């Protein structure tokens, strides 16, 4: 039976583009691990993706994941079939324009290959304890560049 792991993520940017930070909390039972990072020049969506990528890459065996994010961009890509459509169209959106951040989407899909997973969207800045912690960590990461 696969381990059930909860992942909470957030990304933040000062300006878009601008300095950015990402953070994640991984929880297995009563154990938690916080991770975070930053980039000097990036976008909010890239930081949202990096948070999920880096969290999933921490896992060394197949797990049953619940990934909670305040990013509509990330959650809708999975929950509303955007990713499947983009892939079928050769990484193009419905309007034929190229999908942004393709290399990060591909990295995330590769990281998720061995896992069962679901994405849950939550409203940001709405008092969700783990989301608030991730936001604070992500903001502190990008503040290194200010």
């Amino acid at each position: 039976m696969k381990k059930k792991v909860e992942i909470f993520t957030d990304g933040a940017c000062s300006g878009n583009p601008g300095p950015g930070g990402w953070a994640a909390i991984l929880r297995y039972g009563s154990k938690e691990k916080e991770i975070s990072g930053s980039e000097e020049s990036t976008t909010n969506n890239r930081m949202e993706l990096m948070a999920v990528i880096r969290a999933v890459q921490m896992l060394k065996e197949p797990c049953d994941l619940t990934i909670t994010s305040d990013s509509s961009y990330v959650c809708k890509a999975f929950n509303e079939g955007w990713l499947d459509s983009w892939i079928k169209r050769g990484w193009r959106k419905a309007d034929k324009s190229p999908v942004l951040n393709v290399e990060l989407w591909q990295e995330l899909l590769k990281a998720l290959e061995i896992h069962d997973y679901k994405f849950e969207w939550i409203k940001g800045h709405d008092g969700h304890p783990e989301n608030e912690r991730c936001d604070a960590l992500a903001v502190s990461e990008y503040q290194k560049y200010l």
Side-chain angles (χ1 to χ4, degrees), residues 12-15 17-21 39-42 47 142-143 145-146:
C13 243
S14 179
E39 291 183 20
E40 190 170 2
S41 181
T42 189
M47 292 295 90
Y142 79 60
Q143 286 178 335
Y145 295 105
L146 301 180

Side-chain angles (χ1 to χ4, degrees), residues 14-85:
S14 179
N16 199 19
W22 59 265
I25 299 167
L26 294 91
R27 181 182 295 148
Y28 171 63
S30 61
K31 296 181 178 147
E32 280 189 0
K33 180 166 185 68
E34 293 179 354
I35 60 171
S36 60
S38 61
E39 291 183 20
E40 190 170 2
S41 181
T42 189
T43 65
N44 191 62
N45 283 341
R46 289 184 70 82
M47 292 295 90
E48 296 284 1
L49 281 165
M50 286 301 298
V52 181
I53 291 166
R54 294 297 177 246
V56 174
Q57 287 175 336
M58 297 285 299
L59 304 170
K60 303 299 182 210
E61 64 186 80
C63 296
D64 185 2
L65 307 177
T66 300
I67 302 165
T68 303
S69 172
D70 66 3
S71 171
S72 294
Y73 177 64
V74 171
C75 292
K76 286 183 176 181
F78 286 92
N79 295 339
E80 296 187 12
W82 295 1
L83 266 170
D84 294 333
S85 296

